[in-house]
Amino acid sequence: MTQTANLTTVAAPPKRSFVAFIMGIPISIHVRGPRARDAGVEAAVERAFAALRLDDLLFSTYRADSEVSRIRRGELALASADRRIREVARLCALANDKTAGAFSAWLPDADGVVRFEPTGLVKGWAVEGAFGTLVGDLDRFGPHDVLINAGGDLHVNCRRTDTPDWVIGIEDPRDRGRVLRRLQLRTGAVATSGTSARGRHILDPRTGEPVRAELLSATVVGPCLTWADVYATAAFVHGRRALSWLAMVPGYGSLLLATDGTVLTTGA
Amino acid sequence: MRRITTAIMSTITVLVLLFSYRTSLGATAATASDTMTTPDEPGSNTSTQTGASATPTTAPVTTPSAAPTTSTPDPTASDSTGSTSTDGTFAGDSVPTRFGPVQVQVTVAGGQLVDVHAIDYPNSDRHDQRINAYAIPVLNDEALQARSAQIDAVSGATITSDAYIESLQSALDAAHL
């Protein structure tokens, strides 16, 4: 007499998504786990959004009264600015060094004057910080998985062991809504750089001119969103040459889509 | 007209966020994950934020917590099937926007929001336009297996709030609101 194993299908844990519009971009947070729909989790997510709004008040170049705007107008010295701005400036200098100048926070304005412009680093950095705090906040509710998507820059974390990997689609810039590649991640960050939806050009800081793009997009995967974001931007500036540089960055992988449709990858 | 369209799209965003569609999460086989274990120096900022939360920056769009109530039924009553009990066409309450009240009619089929239609414009511009703002893009990646074609999020070049509502990510978010 044979006994068949009685396989019980375990229901997937509850999942909830939250969306807010901050820094001019849509920010989605997904939480997966037994308490995902609880008020306590919602409160923690709201705190994450609040932290991002505070950073927007400090850093937004679209707000005339932000400290960064005042720095750009020469009304406030960087040395006297909020601690978080000074931290960002320090990271920008480091990023400039690590990317051989392809990333810089000193960029020419519309009128050609070079000013402090940390936006390229602030986004990933602010999101990474809020995300890290959120992950810590959720620990009190038991193991949960979290994903944040800030307008295309993602950070994920899994505390559960009974859930599938987060599946992230890399958008095909030639056909939005079409996925170029999928990648599966439990912990880490994904950042994609390319011609923005508004068609705003990415400047090459070494020349001050818009990048003559050899790439349609550059996606970088790694442990920290701050650096994934910086490297993706720098890769877009470097073009196809970014491949050999990215291949030597420990812990980070990349996917580059060239203008001729070729897909180049490192680290995965 | 563009400002009205923006207001209506923001209203639709609000209404979309009120709907909570749960897709049935099939048991996707966990495959080898692409984990990065080598730590880089953290560019992280770990200091916590204090102080009162600030108001949202982008004026036309509201966050879920500020969503007005509508008379549409809650479609999350049954989440195990395709929620066919919530199919149909529903008229929401007039939703206040900064240009005046806007009334929206939504159509649900197979548990999905398939059409949004503004039926009350705030001023004398009373053209009965169909607003196809909630376009659900088609996933067309050959690498996807039909069984496991579950994507949680999309990474792409920075998308703006205006473009969000027509983005794939908004459909992915709407499935779990």
Side-chain angles (χ1 to χ4, degrees), chain B residues 3-62:
Chain B
R3 292 166 73 205
I4 295 173
T5 306
T6 305
I8 288 166
M9 285 175 71
S10 69
T11 304
I12 292 163
T13 304
V14 166
L15 288 174
V16 164
L17 296 175
L18 291 174
F19 285 90
S20 178
Y21 295 99
R22 295 194 198 147
T23 59
S24 58
L25 294 175
T28 51
T31 60
S33 55
D34 182 37
T35 53
M36 300 293 178
T37 54
T38 312
D40 193 358
E41 63 161 284
S44 56
N45 71 84
T46 53
S47 56
T48 52
Q49 294 285 355
T50 57
S53 68
T55 53
T57 61
T58 53
V61 190
T62 59

Side-chain angles (χ1 to χ4, degrees), chain A residues 167-184 217 219 255 257 263, chain B residues 137-145 149-156 167-169 172:
Chain A
V167 180
I168 292 151
I170 297 174
E171 182 183 75
D172 187 339
R174 299 161 295 189
D175 184 358
R176 294 184 189 284
R178 188 189 163 102
V179 169
L180 187 65
R181 289 290 165 88
R182 277 188 324 167
L183 63 93
Q184 295 174 224
S217 71
T219 298
L255 183 146
L257 176 66
V263 173
Chain B
V138 175
L139 282 178
N140 197 15
D141 182 355
E142 289 127 36
L144 292 177
Q145 304 295 317
Q150 293 267 0
I151 286 186
D152 296 302
V154 177
S155 180
S167 73
L168 173 55
Q169 186 64 45
L172 298 171

Side-chain angles (χ1 to χ4, degrees), chain A residues 12 15-17 19-26 28 30 37 50-51 53-57 63 83-84 91 94 98 123 125 128-129 147 149 151-152 154 164-171 177-180 182 184-185 190 192 195 197-198 221-223 226-227 231 251-253, chain B residues 13 17 20 22 25 28 30-36 38-45 47-50 52-58 61-64 137-142 144 148-162 164 168-169 172-174 176-177:
Chain A
K15 188 174 174 185
R16 185 173 181 189
S17 62
V19 186
F21 296 86
I22 306 170
M23 305 186 286
I25 60 178
S28 314
H30 292 207
R37 304 201 76 88
R53 291 188 186 106
L54 281 179
D55 274 338
D56 186 53
L57 287 180
R63 294 175 169 273
R83 180 174 55 83
R84 292 174 71 71
L91 289 169
L94 189 56
K98 284 159 85 81
K123 182 170 158 237
W125 173 83
E128 179 181 339
L147 174 150
N149 187 354
L154 285 100
D165 300 345
W166 290 107
V167 180
I168 292 151
I170 297 174
E171 182 183 75
R178 188 189 163 102
V179 169
L180 187 65
R182 277 188 324 167
Q184 295 174 224
L185 210 55
V190 184
T192 297
T195 311
R198 271 204 191 124
V221 186
T226 308
W227 293 109
Y231 294 152
Y252 287 83
Chain B
T13 304
L17 296 175
S20 178
R22 295 194 198 147
L25 294 175
T28 51
T31 60
S33 55
D34 182 37
T35 53
M36 300 293 178
T38 312
D40 193 358
E41 63 161 284
S44 56
N45 71 84
S47 56
T48 52
Q49 294 285 355
T50 57
S53 68
T55 53
T57 61
T58 53
V61 190
T62 59
T63 60
V138 175
L139 282 178
N140 197 15
D141 182 355
E142 289 127 36
L144 292 177
S148 60
Q150 293 267 0
I151 286 186
D152 296 302
V154 177
S155 180
T158 304
I159 189 172
T160 63
S161 299
D162 290 345
Y164 169 78
L168 173 55
Q169 186 64 45
L172 298 171
D173 294 339
H176 301 285
L177 287 169

Side-chain angles (χ1 to χ4, degrees), chain A residues 9-235:
Chain A
T9 305
V10 178
K15 188 174 174 185
R16 185 173 181 189
S17 62
F18 307 81
V19 186
F21 296 86
I22 306 170
M23 305 186 286
I25 60 178
I27 302 187
S28 314
I29 293 179
H30 292 207
V31 180
R32 191 169 63 185
R35 311 277 294 277
R37 304 201 76 88
D38 284 12
V41 167
E42 179 176 351
V45 169
E46 284 304 322
R47 285 195 297 274
F49 288 142
L52 291 168
R53 291 188 186 106
L54 281 179
D55 274 338
D56 186 53
L57 287 180
L58 273 179
F59 288 99
S60 173
T61 55
Y62 292 103
R63 294 175 169 273
D65 57 351
S66 73
E67 285 202 18
V68 166
S69 290
R70 290 169 56 210
I71 291 169
R72 287 164 60 79
R73 288 193 303 267
E75 297 166 9
L76 175 66
L78 187 52
S80 312
D82 188 279
R83 180 174 55 83
R84 292 174 71 71
I85 298 179
R86 283 181 277 123
E87 170 66 6
V88 161
R90 182 189 75 81
L91 289 169
C92 287
L94 189 56
N96 184 260
D97 194 50
K98 284 159 85 81
T99 62
F103 179 92
S104 173
W106 294 92
L107 296 168
D109 209 348
D111 53 8
V113 177
V114 174
R115 297 180 208 274
F116 183 52
E117 171 48 303
T119 305
L121 186 140
V122 168
K123 182 170 158 237
W125 173 83
V127 171
E128 179 181 339
F131 183 75
T133 302
L134 174 62
V135 167
D137 266 0
L138 293 182
D139 276 345
R140 81 190 70 164
F141 301 111
H144 283 73
D145 303 337
V146 196
L147 174 150
I148 189 169
N149 187 354
D153 281 2
L154 285 100
H155 226 314
V156 304
N157 187 262
C158 289
R159 291 264 197 261
R160 301 197 64 80
T161 53
D162 59 350
T163 48
D165 300 345
W166 290 107
V167 180
I168 292 151
I170 297 174
E171 182 183 75
D172 187 339
R174 299 161 295 189
D175 184 358
R176 294 184 189 284
R178 188 189 163 102
V179 169
L180 187 65
R181 289 290 165 88
R182 277 188 324 167
L183 63 93
Q184 295 174 224
L185 210 55
R186 293 201 77 75
T187 299
V190 184
T192 297
S193 185
T195 311
S196 75
R198 271 204 191 124
R200 247 181 35 184
H201 296 291
I202 293 177
L203 295 180
D204 185 338
R206 303 164 298 182
T207 64
E209 300 292 311
V211 170
R212 264 165 307 140
E214 294 176 354
L215 303 176
L216 295 178
S217 71
T219 298
V220 173
V221 186
C224 294
L225 184 56
T226 308
W227 293 109
D229 207 0
V230 165
Y231 294 152
T233 303

